Amino acid sequence: MTLSKTDLYHEVAQQAQALMAGEKDVIANLANLSALMFMRLPQLNWAGFYLLKGQELVLGPFQGKPACIRIPVGRGVCGKAAETGLAQCIHDVHEFEGHIACDADSNAEAVVPIYQNGQLLGVLDLDSPYVGRFDQYDMNGLQNLVNILQDAIA
């Protein structure tokens, strides 16, 4: 039986809460959450985090191929999310002006900003080789996972 996206994200959220229960360490929680998303969410080729350091996003815990290490705030999908504070759901990255191609196989991207104590901590970044992979159901589910993370590290 295949789960609906809503049910899948509900299950992943429950697993995320269990993994992060009582754990305040940011890196440990990012590492486990990236592994959980990569394991459970279908059609991904990268799942991870970039952390804000000055005016750059620096590669954090992730699952997938090696990635770009530094992304200037305002550049690419991750940089745009960091600059605006708005989640980005990109149907086709090749149509996104200024897309940074860390992996030539990536065709769709979802990015959600993460906050700690009211300050931007970084972004959650998911890539897929499938154009149109991410939709509003994904964005709602990913925002919920970020909310769980933010509560854990508050």
Side-chain angles (χ1 to χ4, degrees), residues 8 21 23 64-65 70 80 124-125 133 141 144 150 153:
L8 174 61
E23 182 54 63
K65 294 179 184 178
R70 295 180 183 274
K80 179 80 164 176
L124 160 64
D125 181 23
R133 160 62 181 88
N144 187 44
Q150 290 172 155
I153 62 175

Side-chain angles (χ1 to χ4, degrees), residues 3-152:
L3 293 174
S4 71
K5 279 190 180 183
T6 303
D7 290 340
L8 174 61
Y9 277 106
H10 179 72
E11 279 189 10
V12 173
Q14 289 180 315
Q15 292 171 316
Q17 284 179 312
L19 280 171
M20 293 186 268
E23 182 54 63
K24 297 281 186 203
D25 188 84
V26 172
I27 300 301
N29 284 326
L30 296 179
N32 264 340
L33 188 53
S34 64
L36 176 63
M37 291 183 299
F38 197 72
M39 179 180 76
R40 292 295 317 273
L41 301 179
Q43 299 178 323
L44 299 181
N45 59 336
W46 203 89
F49 299 91
Y50 281 91
L51 300 172
L52 184 65
K53 309 277 185 187
Q55 288 301 305
E56 291 182 311
L57 294 167
V58 179
L59 183 63
F62 72 93
Q63 298 285 310
K65 294 179 184 178
C68 300
I69 295 174
R70 295 180 183 274
I71 299 173
V73 170
R75 271 204 70 221
V77 180
C78 289
K80 179 80 164 176
E83 180 181 56
T84 64
L86 300 173
Q88 304 290 311
C89 181
I90 308 303
H91 178 80
D92 183 346
V93 296
H94 306 289
E95 295 176 358
F96 185 90
E97 187 176 335
H99 173 252
I100 300 169
C102 295
D103 179 356
D105 292 336
S106 292
N107 288 307
E109 190 167 2
V111 179
V112 180
I114 303 164
Y115 293 89
Q116 185 179 37
N117 303 320
Q119 299 293 315
L120 182 68
L121 174 68
V123 298
L124 160 64
D125 181 23
L126 298 180
D127 292 343
S128 173
Y130 300 96
V131 170
R133 160 62 181 88
F134 303 107
D135 60 20
Q136 194 56 52
Y137 291 104
D138 293 292
M139 299 311 291
N140 294 341
L142 295 173
Q143 183 63 61
N144 187 44
L145 291 174
V146 165
N147 293 345
I148 293 166
L149 170 67
Q150 290 172 155
D151 288 346

